[in-house]
Amino acid sequence: MAKVYVTCRVFPEELERLRAAGHTVEMRDAPGLISREKLLEKVSEAEALICLLSDRIDVEVIAEAGKLRIVANLAVGYENIDLATAQAAGIVVTNTPGVLTETTADLTFALLLAAARRIVEADAFARSGAFYGWELLQPHLGLEVYGKTLGVVGMGRIGTAVARRGRLGFGMDILYHDPHQNKPAEAELKAKYVSFETLLSESDFVSIHTPLTAQTRHLFDRQAFLRMKKTAILVNVARGPVVDEEALVWAVETGQIAGAGIDVYEEEPEIHPGLLKLQEHVVLVPHIGSATVETRHAMVRIAVDNVLAVLAGEAPLNPV
Ligand code: GLV
């Protein structure tokens, strides 16, 4: 039977089905990310690899992976994997779509609301003992969310789930931009398909849900921020490099836009020092879009389903 290597800690009970099918499973049971050396060593023996989006599966790793049949990435994004090289080597690559849609949309809205209503600043203020009582012009006056315009960049599964929250929960008008028109979202949410430029200039909140590609890298640069409303808030739960962080810091510091809710960073795990200094209407979280207990269980389950299928000689459920 096959050797399965898991590069990170996962819920051990989710791996039982692999053992029950007769496979040998080794999970790297230590906090943090796997070292490059360890990855190169372990991949040479494995027939299946369950890995993270932080593990770089590139030419060098694939060259070592003489027996590997499947890489099951514990993420919906897979830009950490050199897909062409993997496929040329006959290795199946799978991801975890679907199960993290709603939870990522929830986090998007949490960031949008937290940045608009200055929740993190207000929390620090309340804890500091500085609260002196209610007054009309309180120190943390925020920006209204209800009834505003939400611009969704990338109207796929997650973008649509965010738009749904905006439309149905917060009475928002929805604008979207995507390489493909999404007619069902238009019918369900009265979403309007607009150019990127129109979305930028007309939205009060701009939320990013595109994959990282050559076309989307630094889509949000100084030019883009100059087109946005000065009262607008940017939310990014997609991929860090879609935003030029230097330009974002500049845009918030100079008041080109009002603020940002950010989950993903250009050089993870580094966070641009300029971003760390921004407080007003800025909320930063450490790539936790899909981080709920339920969703993380579901992501491991999907990876295991894909590994079981491929090792049994069947088609994967979620090939990319
Ligand atoms: C997380 O960022 C993912 O791609 O699943």
Side-chain angles (χ1 to χ4, degrees):
M1 281 303 189
K3 268 194 183 171
V4 181
Y5 186 69
V6 186
T7 66
C8 59
R9 292 179 301 161
V10 299
F11 312 98
E13 65 274 23
E14 298 292 357
L15 302 175
E16 282 313 311
R17 284 185 300 137
L18 291 166
R19 295 202 173 89
H23 303 304
T24 309
V25 184
E26 187 187 349
M27 176 182 82
R28 194 183 66 86
D29 193 7
L33 305 179
I34 191 168
S35 69
R36 189 77 183 159
E37 296 69 41
K38 188 107 189 146
L39 179 60
L40 289 168
E41 172 202 327
K42 292 295 178 184
V43 85
S44 63
E45 289 300 310
E47 282 163 74
L49 188 73
I50 298 181
C51 66
L52 297 176
L53 59 85
S54 353
D55 301 332
R56 205 156 34 83
I57 311 298
D58 56 11
V59 179
E60 190 188 12
V61 172
I62 294 165
E64 285 300 312
K67 302 177 183 160
L68 198 60
R69 293 161 67 185
I70 172 170
V71 176
N73 211 35
L74 287 165
V76 68
Y78 48 85
E79 73 283 349
N80 57 311
I81 300 169
D82 182 337
L83 198 55
T85 306
Q87 285 170 345
I91 299 167
V92 171
V93 176
T94 64
N95 67 343
T96 61
V99 291
L100 47 71
T101 301
E102 301 301 338
T103 206
T104 306
D106 284 349
L107 186 85
T108 306
F109 246 86
L111 286 175
L112 187 156
L113 288 166
R117 299 300 304 272
R118 305 176 61 185
I119 300 297
V120 176
E121 300 164 63
D123 176 271
F125 182 81
R127 289 170 196 270
S128 75
F131 181 42
Y132 48 77
W134 196 96
E135 67 172 339
L136 193 91
L137 296 182
Q138 278 182 275
H140 299 99
L141 291 185
L143 292 163
E144 196 93 356
V145 174
Y146 190 87
K148 291 284 186 72
T149 297
L150 172 62
V152 176
V153 180
M155 195 66 136
R157 278 182 290 255
I158 299 173
T160 304
V162 169
R164 194 173 289 122
R165 282 158 177 71
R167 179 84 207 169
L168 305 181
F170 294 85
M172 298 174 99
D173 290 327
I174 310 295
L175 304 178
Y176 78 98
H177 183 71
D178 192 283
H180 308 286
Q181 203 168 347
N182 186 332
K183 293 259 168 114
E186 291 181 14
E188 181 193 348
L189 307 167
K190 298 200 181 78
K192 225 166 106 189
Y193 190 39
V194 295
S195 68
F196 184 53
E197 289 70 25
T198 301
L199 182 142
L200 293 176
S201 61
E202 293 187 6
S203 299
D204 299 301
F205 297 92
V206 174
S207 195
I208 306 176
H209 303 285
T210 56
L212 175 62
T213 64
Q215 288 72 39
T216 63
R217 184 176 292 274
H218 282 194
L219 183 62
F220 283 78
D221 55 7
R222 276 195 185 211
Q223 269 315 103
F225 291 123
L226 280 169
R227 289 182 193 275
M228 286 173 67
K229 294 185 183 180
K230 292 205 171 1
T231 50
I233 284 180
L234 177 76
V235 180
N236 187 10
V237 299
R239 283 295 180 265
V242 176
V243 175
D244 175 348
E245 267 173 13
E246 192 79 43
L248 173 61
V249 171
W250 166 82
V252 177
E253 267 177 355
T254 58
Q256 293 305 316
I257 67 169
I262 304 291
D263 183 41
V264 289
Y265 303 89
E266 255 194 281
E267 304 284 349
E268 289 182 18
E270 305 301 325
I271 301 183
H272 191 293
L275 268 183
L276 294 173
K277 289 199 195 112
L278 301 173
Q279 303 274 335
E280 207 169 302
H281 288 295
V282 174
V283 179
L284 307 176
V285 291
H287 205 148
I288 58 168
S290 65
T292 65
V293 173
E294 295 90 335
T295 293
R296 290 286 162 94
H297 268 280
M299 288 164 71
V300 183
R301 237 173 272 142
I302 290 203
V304 167
D305 287 342
N306 279 292
V307 169
L308 283 171
V310 170
L311 293 182
E314 293 160 14
L317 288 85
N318 309 99
V320 299

